[in-house]
Amino acid sequence: MDKFCGGEEFWNTNLTWGDDTTYPEFTKCFQNSVLIWIASGWLWLSFPIYLPYLLTRKSRRLPLSKKIVTKQCLAAFQLIIIITELTYGSMVLKQNDKSFLQAYFIGPAIEGATIILVIIYIELERRKRFVTSGVLFMYWLLANITYIIPFYRNIIHKGYKETTAYFVLFNAYYVFSLTQLVLSCIAETLPVSSEEKKSCPELRVSFLSRITFHWMQSLILTGYKNPLTEADLFTLNPVDQSGNVVRRFEENWKKQEAELQRKLAKRDTSVNLAGRIQDGGISESTPLLVLRRESSTKKNSTSDPKNKISLLRVLCCTFGCDILLSNIWKLFYDLLVFVNPFLLKFLIDFAQDYSKPVWKGYIYSIAFFVVITIQSFTFHALLHQSLTIGIRVRAALISTILKKSFRMSTQSRTESTVGEIANMMSVDAEHIKEITGFIWGLWSGPLQIVLSVVFLYFTVGNAMFAGLVIMILVFPVNAVLLGRIKKFQTEYMELKDERIQLMTEILNGIKILKLYAWEMVFGDKVSEIRKNELAVLLKGQILYSISTLSWTVAPFSVGLATFATYIFIEPTHRFDPQVAFVAMTLFNILRSALNFAPTVIIECVKAFVSIKRMEKFLNIEDLDFTNVSHNPSDSAVTITNGTFSWDPQLGSCLKDIDMKISKGSLVAIVGSVGSGKSSLISAMLGEMNKTTGTVNVDGTTAYVSQQAWIQNATIKDNIIFGQPIVTKTYKEIVEACALQSDLDILTAGDMTEIGEKGINLSGGQKQRVSLARAVYYDSDIYLLDDPLSAVDSHVGKHIFDKVIGNDGLLKNKTRILVTHGIHWLPSVDLIFVVNDGKISESGSYEKLLSHDGAFAKFLQIYLIEQEDSDNGEEDEEEQEIKKQILQRLASIQSDSDTELAEKYLLIRSRSHKGSESDKGHHTEMSRTYNREMLEKEEKPVKSKLIEEEELEVGNVKLSVYMSYAKAVGCKSSFMIVLLFGLYQAFSMWSSIWLTDWTSDPDLQNLTKWPANSTERRHKNDYYLGIYGSFGIVQAIMVTGYAIVQTVRCVRAAKILHKNMLKNVLRGPMWFFDTTPVGRIVNRFSQDVESVDNKLPYIFLELLYSLFNVLAIFIIIAYSTPIFLSLIVPIGFFYTLLQRFYIVTSRQLKRLESKTRSPIYNNLGESLMGASVIRAFKVQDRFIYESEKRVDSNQEYNFASNTANRWLGFRLEVMGAFIVLVASLFSVIERNNINSAIVGLSVSYALQITGNLNWLVRMISDFETSIISVERIGQYTANPTEAVLHTDYSPSKVWPANGKIELKSYSTRYREGLNLVLNNINVTFYPGEKIGIVGRTGAGKSSLTLSLFRLLEPSSGRILVDDEDISHLGLYDLRSRLTILPQEPVLFSGSLRMNLDPLENYSDADIWTALEHAHLKSFVDGLPTKLEYEVGEGGQNLSVGQRQLMCLARSLLRKSKILVLDEATAAVDLETDALIQKTINDEFTDCTVLTIAHRLKTVLDYDRILVLNEGVVQEFDPPQLLLNDTTSAFYAMAKDAGLVGL
């Protein structure tokens, strides 16, 4: 070493750290070697990693800017200086005949090589488009720090006098280095992007700005000046966007899937399904989907975790490396944490030894500041990276869930409802995201505990083991608690699923519930689930409180045991400040780790439960996409020997299917209700399980489902369905689909927004929009599942001729039409007759009519059924077709069948005599009606239906905090704060007591009281006893506030949910029509989750950090009163930061909550239309839309997290400054205070960094979390309908007659809109049958809604049997009226519950109603009969069965007033016939109001009410109106061809 140093010393401790030196010096050898190696070593150690990284990056050059040129020039000048120095040094060494292998020469040589590498890096980074370089920034930072030592040495030793040239060169080099450091803090300028939204600034700023989060400052300032809007935000970094993240996740999922398939292939686990499936007895009249509970029971018996893809493993493969790399920062942080106790030890030594030079105290103080600042850099780098990974995880999970939803088999849909899937997207994905950001707690906590114990051993020796024993006892207790908490969390999530599922169904069917006055009954069902949910939550929270108590009390107990043992075993029995406060600092570290443990454990439990739930969902059965092949073929559709089922366990639904459909042909599929027609279409689409045979579809498909699926978008967007707009084609299709007249009426035309599920369109309009969408998509094959059933014959003929028929727009396409309209059959090329799941006949129309086969039987039965309920409403062309069919049938039938034909002709004859003038078509009554929302929109020129979500701005109002405090209980809130305050006060007092103990002059004086003296022992016992008492009191306080807080916060969650639920269910219909279901579900899901779990935790943490910060300031001020002089500037800076941050953070939270709802809206819409989306093969577009919405939502999440980092870093630097000041004051005042006070002051000051940061974060988080209370409060404060019950109740038999009077009645949809009914004066007499007709927006629907008071009067009144309905409670009114709605809505639950949720009727009554509704045989054939479980939305019943169920409801109630709200608009003609027959038989003595869809339902009514723009235009018997050629009704009939020209 002497040779290397040229004969000088390499290191001299006395020179550097001696007590007799005035400042620290370093030897020249050390300066020329180690100081140079530090910075150069960094650059060369990173070289093997950084250079390959640079070389593999894509080349995209930056322009040669002035900054780059300056950096290159400066580096060149530095290299010249080094070369000059090396040249001079080599000359000197050569003259003195010395070796070049000396620090004097090697150091500059290494530095020169490093500068050359710097020049290379600068150019390479420019070529790779790097705007900044973290590697070079760190090099220049380290270099400039090391240059400080030779710089101040030259100044002190006046080097400018001895070696002027060297002095000048060194200072020039130093200036160049400082300039390089400054330039490294400035990023290169990138060209401005032309994107609509700003790109993330993080990619465009310098390394220093990134690590200090300075780049967020502009957004925070913007948010401080004005409330943030969506336009102020920037996009996510590309690496964080869903598209990139999901791709990585899917790659790993597919790898795991392939691996699982390889494992399964090795096992002989094949099962002969054919042996388990019993053929026969299965048809469409059998429930299509098995009961969920039955299915899940069967599956559970065979489920094997080994046969599933592990979601946890896929997450680890995808994000594991990222998480590992981010967690490295925490390792550095944890190691630095343990530097502070040793610095404290040195500082206490310094305070005790007055002979030590004062500069050492300053060095210790600066060291505290530097260590804490570096900790801040590492900790916030960790949080920024790990929380960003959490965002990626959430994006991947949400997208994967949606993709899985598109792949689910029909059977799987029964196992995972829309509510459950939405819950997984909102709550479960959030749980997994949260743990990703804090997963480091799993290893960091144990590491800190282990290191604390190790360092405690070196501090207090064997006494540490006493504390260790206590700590070890805590773990088994918490292990038991953890198992129970996990169980409760699973139960809690299952109950939440159930609640959200039911809530979703209630919201989807809210109109029906209100019309039946059932909303509060279903609300009680939600409340019952909520009660069970909160009971489980309370149990879990109590266990969590016990766990928290154990972890909170553990550190003090460990300390108490350790100190007691130390005093006992220490030979002198002396307890000095150095031991006490170094140990206390280590205990504080231990306490932080132990306090964080329950939080991490609970989050891990939640995440684990959520992962298992998602894993189960992602592993459920998919549709088998190989069921249908798409090979080139001569035929468009070919099915050979096909057997299909909805559920293999129920058997086959379609059997022995053989069909071949030629390209370009028009094919009809006919058959009776439940024969299997719709299932056959589903088999072609691959929606069914294929047991045997082959299906090949050659070409693209378009599908029009029996129940039209409509998006919440404009009419135009629904039709073009993501395709480029071709105006000419679009207009042709709109005209051909008979939509133009509807669009002409609407003020916004095709830009009118359609509500969720097409709420503001009639059944016919929805079906025509659905058909237009299919036509516009220009596919090869069109699968049309009875699209003409919901339109009248006039419109149907128009659509058939213009679209479907051989002269229509689709004439060159393959068209497969399921139909009940036999008059279309002569125009088709091929007919398939389906009977009991089999194709009984097929052939051309002429061929099938040539013999008495299944087709002939179908025709004769169908014609008779239809004519029984017909009223002569057909045009001459249809009559002629049917007459020809009957004649053909008569020629081929037997005698018995001829009698049927004669019966038909007799009915037809009577029909003609009854209405000779009723020739031609019937009409959909002005192309259907737009429901109440289009009536509302006729006057105001608005296309927007769904309103923007309400978004508060500014501070959260005091009333919001008070509402939560009241929900918790004001006294309880005060008690929680008081108990926590007392806990902290005793904690602080115990620390002061420890100071008194360690500074007691008698105990510190071994001369006065020897080691084993009685006085010393008694005095130690006295201090120890009081210290232990403090611990007992703290435990009591913790137990008290934990119990009160747990019980009362659960109560608050109950109250807030209860109030919101009640108010939402009692909300007016306009609220539900203008608010997406997903938005409301978001409040009941995410916001309620926040109130249940997040808010109580944050409230507790807020109290903890608030009292901790207060205690720290009090202790520091108590120790060094001079510190009080800094309270004002510290408080000012703190308040300034808080004000800047909280305003922005609060608004970001609001925006994040707002943008979350569209994700769930898209999910619900996509799931409802999954079969249509799959048929069109547009899953990718809907997934892309979902990912776009997720990214939009996560932009606020990312910005919120980064704003938190911005604040946290600055607060921790401020905390480091407080520690610096506290330690400096201890150094300055060391002659006036004892070492125990120094230990107390600094040990508490060391806690300020984390606590101050945590306090502001908790204040912010509490304010942002209380926004959930604010959002719940918004819905709690929404206007509601009138009361359900009033003091006045009508008689039990009211209405006894059914007389209805409207007197000067006017109403509007809601305040601020035009009247939809204006001065109506009509009377409907008891027993009358009234038909209500009118064009779109006439007010038909509003009239019926007014009767049920879904619309309240603006003026006038409605009397029912002389009772003013405005004086009645809504329940008393609605429960006495009966309505048969257009859309059949059923709910999850038993058949009995769906018919009679109030349990007012006996089983006998219900069976009678079912018999009259033609459902008795169906229900009687079910395994559990009335207790049979209906699937979500009635999905395990056919559309016809659902409508008949609604009819059974009406029969059960059977009041004197019946309203038919286009009840048969969306069902086929056979179901229509059944419904009309039942109504005629069962409601003969009732007043019947019918909104007309098919004129045959009202032409034989007593009177027709014609409405026009909300006023009565005509009100007379139909024949009278038809005889008056000037009447509006005659004009409508004439337009539709009902009367002769």
Side-chain angles (χ1 to χ4, degrees), residues 386-398:
S386 58
L387 291 174
T388 302
I389 294 167
I391 286 175
R392 296 176 200 165
V393 169
R394 178 173 178 255
L397 291 173
I398 289 177

Side-chain angles (χ1 to χ4, degrees), residues 488 492 530-546 1042-1051 1092-1093:
F488 288 138
Y492 171 75
R530 178 67 175 165
K531 179 182 175 183
N532 296 332
E533 182 184 358
L534 289 177
V536 174
L537 177 65
L538 181 61
K539 291 175 185 176
Q541 292 289 4
I542 289 173
L543 293 181
Y544 176 63
S545 297
I546 295 171
I1043 292 172
V1044 175
Q1045 190 252 359
T1046 297
V1047 174
R1048 302 305 293 185
C1049 284
V1050 171
R1051 176 182 179 272
D1092 283 357
N1093 290 300

Side-chain angles (χ1 to χ4, degrees), residues 330-397:
K330 190 63 170 71
L331 179 62
F332 293 143
Y333 176 87
D334 288 347
L335 295 176
L336 287 169
V337 161
F338 289 95
V339 173
N340 291 326
F342 293 101
L343 288 175
L344 179 61
K345 178 184 177 183
F346 296 144
L347 186 63
I348 294 173
D349 282 345
F350 167 81
Q352 288 177 326
D353 188 354
Y354 298 146
S355 65
K356 294 184 182 293
V358 73
W359 63 262
K360 286 191 176 183
Y362 296 141
I363 291 290
Y364 296 141
S365 300
I366 293 169
F368 276 125
F369 180 82
V370 171
V371 168
I372 293 171
T373 303
I374 295 173
Q375 281 181 258
S376 298
F377 278 117
T378 56
F379 186 63
H380 290 289
L382 158 76
L383 287 180
H384 181 60
Q385 292 177 19
S386 58
L387 291 174
T388 302
I389 294 167
I391 286 175
R392 296 176 200 165
V393 169
R394 178 173 178 255
L397 291 173

Side-chain angles (χ1 to χ4, degrees), residues 223 376 478 515 610 866 1152 1210 1241 1264:
S376 298
N478 279 274
L515 289 170
S610 294
Q866 186 186 24
E1152 191 271 334
R1210 280 148 187 78
S1241 174
T1264 52

